[in-house]
């Protein structure tokens, strides 16, 4: 036995009083909690995780191998490689008709996750309120709290296509409101915002003199129509912090590469936080992203077409089973109404997992207004989706 190994029966020090009370009080993510149960179970058909089931396109992987061989392993500028920021600036202009200065308005981050974090920490003063449209990605509320702010959770509903009722939203605005957080195409609801929705939102934000953190990470996975960037609307650039990344569009979750686009003052503030905590996003991933922007349009559209086939299968399947599901306009999630079963979201998912080994996520993981819903990710093969639907048919019949 190593002389450094502690005796197993040594009493442990109680460290809870040493922890940050905000962190201590924070519940674990509803998705993680659920997937603790899945780990360790054999043969589970998981429609749970929110990540592409494709490997990163071959050309990106090949380029990264060459970059390793070439020893591209040092730090980059805090903002990220200029070549990547320039490439991104061109790509954003071409794709979404938005112009961002690569020198002062773009920051390369460790996934969209870091983008959301630095955006909030750059603008929130203690006690500032940030309105979070729900259902939403699990990190939003906790990220606001960790930034010292107060999340104001604002529900949206299936009957409204998960769009915010602006009259109600107005009531949520107080003198302490600093910003609104939105995500479209939406995780978990799958809806997106059209130009008209965005125009109304833009007017609202201007009228109330707010900022808006716009998480558009699923923009490239928009079906049947073209994504409209909020900051492309006239006069909106000074109101928007755009957060996005390569995780979903280019199947690059593990590369941890995202970006923010924002006015120079806000970008400079975000860079301060980023330089003291992160230094720079992973260098090899930045080189890989340059390749992704140059040579991957076909790979991205190929994945999008595949997701669309899966979407059609799962949405029809759920609706046939009597679980009302709106057709997702983007992302890769179907958000199905299970309230007719009389079960809570949590019970529905627990029993489905225990009795039929199919994993989906309770809607409540995305906010209280997700009660009565489940989220199923269709970033899974057509065969597995069909199998899951067959098992759910048996489950619902019994
Ligand atoms: N925003 C949304 C809406 C997401 O669904 C996710 C990932 N599930 C993220 C941000 C985080 O993305 P990244 O991997 O780039 O950090």
């Amino acid at each position: 036995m190593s002389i450094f190994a502690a005796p197993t029966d040594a009493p442990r020090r109680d460290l809870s009083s040493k922890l940050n009370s905000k962190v201590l009080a924070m519940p674990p993510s509803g998705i993680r909690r659920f997937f603790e149960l899945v780990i360790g179970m054999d043969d589970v058909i998981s429609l749970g995780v929110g990540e592409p089931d494709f490997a990163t396109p071959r050309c990106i992987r090949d380029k990264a191998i060459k970059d390793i061989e070439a020893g591209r392993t040092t730090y980059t500028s805090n903002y990220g490689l200029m070549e990547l920021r320039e490439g991104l600036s061109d790509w954003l202009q071409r794709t979404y008709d938005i112009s961002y200065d690569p020198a002062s308005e773009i920051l390369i981050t460790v996934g969209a996750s870091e983008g959301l974090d630095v955006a909030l920490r750059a603008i929130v003063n203690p006690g500032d309120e940030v309105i979070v449209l729900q259902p939403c990605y699990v990190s939003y509320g906790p990220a606001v709290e960790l930034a010292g702010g107060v999340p104001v959770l604002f529900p949206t509903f299936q009957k409204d296509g998960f769009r915010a009722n602006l009259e109600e939203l107005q009531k949520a605005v107080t003198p302490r409101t600093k910003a609104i957080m939105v995500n479209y195409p939406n995780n978990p609801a799958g809806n997106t915002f059209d130009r008209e929705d965005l125009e109304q939102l833009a007017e609202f934000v201007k009228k109330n003199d707010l900022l808006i953190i716009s998480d558009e990470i699923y923009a490239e996975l928009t079906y049947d129509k073209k994504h409209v960037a909020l900051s492309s609307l006239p006069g909106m650039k000074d109101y928007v912090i755009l957060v996005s990344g390569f995780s979903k569009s280019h199947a690059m979750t593990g590369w941890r590469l995202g970006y923010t686009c924002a006015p120079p003052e806000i970008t400079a503030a975000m860079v301060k936080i980023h330089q003291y905590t992160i230094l720079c996003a992973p260098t090899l991933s930045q080189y890989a992203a340059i390749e992704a922007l140059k040579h991957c349009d076909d790979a991205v559209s190929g994945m999008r077409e595949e997701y669309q086939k899966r979407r059609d299968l799962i949405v029809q399947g759920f609706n046939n089973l009597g679980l009302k599901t709106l057709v997702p306009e983007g992302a890769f999630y179907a958000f199905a109404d299970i309230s007719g079963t009389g079960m809570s979201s949590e019970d529905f998912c627990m029993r489905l997992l225990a009795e039929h080994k199919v994993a989906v996520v309770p809607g409540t993981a995305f906010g209280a207004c997700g009660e009565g819903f489940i989220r199923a990710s269709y970033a899974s093969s057509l065969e597995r989706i069909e199998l899951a639907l067959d098992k759910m048919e048996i489950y619902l019949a019994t």
Side-chain angles (χ1 to χ4, degrees):
M1 196 176 82
S2 155
I3 55 165
F4 298 113
T8 48
D9 55 355
R12 290 284 332 281
R13 183 182 178 202
D14 178 4
L15 291 170
S16 51
S17 66
K18 302 293 176 209
L19 296 176
N20 175 296
S21 51
K22 220 184 300 177
V23 178
L24 207 56
M26 203 165 268
S29 138
I31 299 186
R32 280 285 139 238
R33 204 162 44 83
F34 194 72
F35 277 89
E36 304 281 295
L37 297 173
V38 175
I39 295 166
M41 278 177 82
D42 292 330
D43 306 326
V44 173
I45 302 176
S46 178
L47 304 183
V49 282
E51 71 174 326
D53 59 325
F54 298 105
T56 305
R58 183 82 249 172
C59 60
I60 301 177
R61 286 184 279 153
D62 285 344
K63 176 72 172 35
I65 291 167
K66 284 192 198 132
D67 287 328
I68 292 176
E69 298 288 1
R72 300 209 161 96
T73 53
T74 56
Y75 294 132
T76 68
S77 142
N78 295 137
Y79 281 81
L81 287 167
M82 187 44 124
E83 189 186 348
L84 174 56
R85 284 180 281 143
E86 281 171 353
L88 204 47
S89 173
D90 286 349
W91 182 83
L92 289 166
Q93 180 78 64
R94 257 187 291 130
T95 317
Y96 298 117
D97 197 21
I98 38 180
S99 81
Y100 281 104
D101 172 21
S104 63
E105 296 182 318
I106 297 180
L107 168 65
I108 308 298
T109 56
V110 180
S113 300
E114 195 222 342
L116 292 166
D117 182 48
V118 288
L120 285 164
R121 286 201 283 158
I123 62 171
V124 167
N125 281 314
D128 279 355
E129 293 170 4
V130 177
I131 299 176
V132 174
L133 296 197
Q134 288 195 317
C136 69
Y137 179 46
V138 291
S139 83
Y140 286 11
V144 173
E145 280 184 49
L146 290 172
V150 179
V152 176
L153 308 176
F154 185 85
T156 65
F157 302 98
Q158 192 187 51
K159 67 176 173 49
D160 304 320
F162 296 102
R163 282 159 174 78
N165 175 324
L166 294 184
E167 271 170 41
E168 290 299 317
L169 192 62
Q170 187 61 57
K171 295 180 196 158
V173 176
T174 75
R176 301 242 44 177
T177 310
K178 179 61 77 66
I180 305 183
M181 284 179 91
V182 299
N183 163 228
Y184 71 99
N186 184 265
N187 172 11
N191 65 300
T192 195
F193 295 145
D194 297 330
R195 184 174 292 277
E196 209 175 288
D197 301 316
L198 294 172
E199 277 166 1
Q200 288 173 9
L201 203 54
E203 201 185 299
F204 182 90
V205 168
K206 283 183 181 167
K207 186 177 79 185
N208 288 287
D209 192 25
L210 303 176
L211 289 167
I212 186 156
I213 299 177
S214 187
D215 178 348
E216 302 179 29
I217 191 163
Y218 294 99
E220 289 299 287
L221 299 179
T222 302
Y223 312 108
D224 308 319
K225 54 175 111 174
K226 203 167 162 9
H227 178 83
V228 181
L230 182 56
S231 51
S232 72
L233 267 55
M236 274 307 280
K237 247 186 88 175
D238 276 347
Y239 291 84
V240 177
I241 304 175
L242 167 64
V243 178
S244 193
F246 293 79
S247 290
K248 317 289 172 169
S249 55
H250 293 77
M252 288 179 73
T253 45
W255 300 73
R256 310 308 303 127
L257 205 74
Y259 56 89
T260 59
C261 300
E265 303 87 331
I266 295 180
T267 300
M270 291 192 290
V271 170
K272 268 196 215 168
I273 302 164
H274 175 81
Q275 76 186 2
Y276 288 129
T277 53
I278 302 289
L279 232 163
C280 67
T283 301
L284 283 166
S285 305
Q286 294 193 49
Y287 280 108
I290 295 172
E291 179 69 15
L293 290 173
K294 275 189 191 156
H295 297 127
C296 280
D297 288 0
D298 289 349
V300 171
S301 44
M303 288 190 275
R304 182 171 48 236
E305 279 160 28
E306 191 56 35
Y307 288 132
Q308 189 158 354
K309 282 187 214 149
R310 298 162 174 192
R311 173 195 76 163
D312 294 344
L313 176 71
I314 202 166
V315 170
Q316 191 171 27
F318 279 163
N319 281 313
N320 287 346
L321 292 176
L323 307 177
K324 187 178 171 199
T325 309
L326 300 184
V327 177
E329 301 165 291
F332 40 57
Y333 308 102
F335 204 52
D337 179 355
I338 54 98
S339 58
T341 65
M343 280 185 268
S344 70
S345 299
E346 183 105 5
D347 285 350
F348 184 100
C349 295
M350 288 293 184
R351 281 189 51 193
L352 181 63
L353 182 63
E355 294 169 20
H356 296 276
K357 293 194 168 181
V358 174
V360 293
V361 182
T364 41
F366 311 98
C369 61
E371 182 55 271
F373 288 83
I374 55 163
R375 187 195 78 172
S377 158
Y378 49 89
S380 190
S381 68
L382 287 169
E383 295 72 38
R384 288 180 80 73
I385 292 171
E386 257 168 31
L387 206 56
L389 286 169
D390 289 347
K391 289 184 175 242
M392 284 177 77
E393 185 173 6
I394 301 169
Y395 175 55
L396 291 168
T398 53

